[in-house]
Amino acid sequence: MLAAVDPADPPWWWLRRAEREALGLGATVERTDEGFVFGPRGGLRVEVTARRDDAPVKLGSAALRLWGGAVDGPGGALLASVARALVARRARGFDPTTVRLDERALDETQASTSARAEPAIVDVPSTCERACAFCHVSAKPFEERVARGDDAQVLAAIERVTEGELLLTGDDALSHPRIEALVGAARRRGLSVSIIGPPRLGRTARLAPGLARAGLSRWQTAIFGADAASHDALAGRVGAFEALEEATAAMRAAGVAVELVTPLVAPLLASLTGLQARARALVGAPSSLLAYAPDSMVGDRFDRLVPGHGALREALAALAPADASFADALPLCVLPAALRPSAERKLGRTDDALTAVWPAASCRGCVERARCPGVPTTVARAVGVEGLVTLRVG
């Protein structure tokens, strides 16, 4: 079996990690004689192979086959969902030999529950030019923003990472004047290097080729809407969407993988479907959805942005399965049923004061209580517990 890291520039027929998770296929990928099969052994799996007459689904030069079940019932529904995801970006050609992946063996349990080991995180001294509506940085005027730390501290932190993935972050990591050198220092240690942060119009696109040469493998950034007006309104800066489009195209052209993320704040729930369509147009995959929970340090300043549990459930239910891909944890009763088996069990935050609660009224008799991540305390404060429901057998 293969380590589930997507190729840097996946072909149209490749089922992306986020899509696999949304469809309940988990992290596992295995090479076959004629293609690849996605999903853990022992469950339903989908093979993408060259076009063949006996395949139940044909997509131009490719085809889909089901492993581990019949093509009626759940198996047929899974094939249909995979087909919808691939048809949206279908192109010419199918050549599995173009895909090169890390073929280290995965533990079976690890393969079915974990897509990627947690990266080491290093903050890059930087100041952000934006004022995202949900971010604590927006509370401080630009002229009062000060970068934290220095290059020596960053290089020392990189030296302490011995293997795996390194994520360079900070208020605006890409704006650091020596960001290429920092990426290069990490890559020379054999690390897989990623950056998360907003793009700047003109600057980020110009940096892309140099970052690729230095060894950057992946860039993560946010998308807040399907168009400039909605994105810029949440980003707090006119031109933010133009910068996103420009930088995304430049990064991909340079060979850097781009992953879009979207915090599930109340103002964008109504536009999630359009947002995911725009994300696919930009990078060929949906945005990864992040649970929104205000940090404990900001008090109730951003409580108005926390969506109610019922509104969140309704918005997620309206998405196509392949577009409901999560990089974070939500209460299981808020998720569509098909997504619960592969859901995260813990909200990933560095804020130690941000804990979870399981309200007795909805959670005491819930069959999923033991593996549910619960409700973050700041979310419970902001919107209460209305809309949470008790999940029962059947």
Side-chain angles (χ1 to χ4, degrees):
M1 281 183 286
L2 302 178
V5 178
D6 288 344
D9 189 14
W12 70 268
W13 49 264
W14 182 263
L15 199 59
R16 275 71 164 175
R17 170 197 148 217
E19 295 170 330
R20 302 196 300 268
E21 291 180 344
L23 292 165
L25 292 171
T28 312
V29 181
E30 192 169 355
R31 194 182 296 272
T32 66
D33 290 340
E34 299 180 28
F36 291 89
V37 62
F38 301 88
R41 293 174 182 174
L44 288 175
R45 309 167 79 187
V46 175
E47 183 187 19
V48 183
T49 182
R51 185 182 180 92
R52 47 188 302 149
D53 292 337
D54 63 351
V57 179
K58 301 174 183 64
L59 301 171
S61 54
L64 305 180
R65 294 195 296 183
L66 185 72
W67 290 26
V71 294
D72 53 4
L78 177 60
L79 276 180
S81 295
V82 172
R84 282 194 294 270
L86 298 184
V87 164
R89 57 175 181 263
R90 184 171 60 183
R92 292 181 180 276
F94 175 84
D95 184 3
T97 65
T98 62
V99 174
R100 296 286 186 270
L101 292 182
D102 183 353
E103 299 194 28
R104 292 171 297 176
L106 294 177
D107 174 83
E108 190 71 35
T109 301
Q110 185 184 38
S112 62
T113 60
S114 176
R116 185 167 60 206
E118 289 297 315
I121 298 175
V122 174
D123 278 342
V124 175
S126 53
T127 56
C128 187
E129 67 173 2
R130 304 200 321 191
C132 294
F134 51 84
C135 180
H136 71 279
V137 174
S138 65
K140 182 174 288 189
F142 184 78
E143 60 273 12
E144 297 179 14
R145 299 176 188 179
V146 179
R148 302 178 301 277
D150 55 41
D151 285 12
Q153 292 173 319
V154 175
L155 291 171
I158 291 173
E159 286 293 318
R160 290 193 291 271
V161 183
T162 58
E163 61 180 358
E165 181 180 358
L166 176 73
L167 177 62
L168 296 174
T169 182
D171 289 350
D172 188 355
L174 283 168
S175 69
H176 189 283
R178 297 185 62 249
I179 190 62
E180 290 181 29
L182 297 178
V183 169
R187 189 70 192 95
R188 285 191 295 275
R189 291 185 55 76
L191 305 175
S192 174
V193 189
S194 300
I195 292 178
I196 186 169
R200 295 195 180 198
L201 192 60
R203 173 180 168 81
T204 305
R206 288 193 300 272
L207 283 173
L211 287 168
R213 288 192 296 270
L216 182 66
S217 61
R218 185 166 59 101
W219 172 48
Q220 294 174 289
T221 195
I223 180 172
F224 304 136
D227 53 43
S230 53
H231 179 90
D232 291 1
L234 275 177
R237 187 175 184 87
V238 173
F241 193 76
E242 184 181 358
L244 172 65
E245 291 184 305
E246 175 190 70
T248 294
M251 288 285 193
R252 297 187 76 200
V256 177
V258 180
E259 180 181 351
L260 300 180
V261 295
T262 297
L264 290 168
V265 292
L268 60 70
L269 290 188
S271 62
L272 266 184
T273 300
L275 181 153
Q276 292 294 46
R278 194 56 178 264
R280 286 185 179 281
L282 286 171
V283 301
S287 173
S288 296
L289 304 178
L290 300 175
Y292 180 64
D295 291 331
S296 59
M297 72 181 78
V298 302
D300 61 3
R301 180 189 299 273
F302 301 115
D303 281 8
R304 69 189 186 284
L305 298 174
V306 180
H309 305 296
L312 188 53
R313 181 186 299 108
E314 184 178 346
L316 296 177
L319 290 174
D323 284 343
S325 56
F326 293 89
D328 216 342
L330 287 167
L332 295 183
C333 66
V334 172
L335 292 176
L339 301 181
R340 292 171 194 157
S342 59
E344 295 287 338
R345 299 192 180 192
K346 184 179 180 180
L347 184 71
R349 293 293 187 274
T350 56
D351 180 3
D352 292 335
L354 185 60
T355 57
V357 296
W358 290 262
S362 57
C363 302
R364 180 178 293 143
C366 183
V367 296
E368 296 282 16
R369 166 65 177 80
R371 67 182 208 89
C372 181
V375 183
T377 48
T378 56
V379 171
R381 179 197 65 213
V383 298
V385 299
E386 185 178 353
L388 296 173
V389 298
T390 304
L391 299 176
R392 302 188 188 280
V393 176

